[in-house]
Amino acid sequence: SISGMSCAHCVRAVFTSLAGVEGIDRADVTIGKAVIEHDGTVTPEDIRAAIAVAGYNVTDIGNDRRTLPLAP
């Protein structure tokens, strides 16, 4: 969850900041929320710092760690 976002400009600013974080594969950003897929090297602090650069604050980080099976 991200506080302070209220418009499409906010969404673009957060998306652009997250795009600069190495290891993030995908970021789905909407007003007040971002769902991020990454390679496992990205820390919550990395995410908070990137979003702070855009001028917003992370209010809650949830982990939904799913491991996909590897092909044999």
Side-chain angles (χ1 to χ4, degrees):
S1 298
I2 304 167
S3 67
M5 295 176 68
S6 61
C7 64
H9 176 272
C10 302
V11 171
R12 281 191 304 273
V14 170
F15 180 83
T16 301
S17 291
L18 291 172
V21 178
E22 190 169 331
I24 290 182
D25 299 322
R26 179 175 176 223
D28 181 18
V29 182
T30 58
I31 294 173
K33 182 178 178 180
V35 177
I36 301 165
E37 293 179 14
H38 60 86
D39 64 6
T41 63
V42 179
T43 66
E45 292 77 26
D46 296 333
I47 294 167
R48 285 183 195 278
I51 292 173
V53 166
Y56 305 96
N57 296 313
V58 175
T59 57
D60 183 40
I61 292 182
N63 286 320
D64 182 13
R65 295 179 182 223
R66 289 182 256 171
T67 304
L68 300 175
L70 297 174

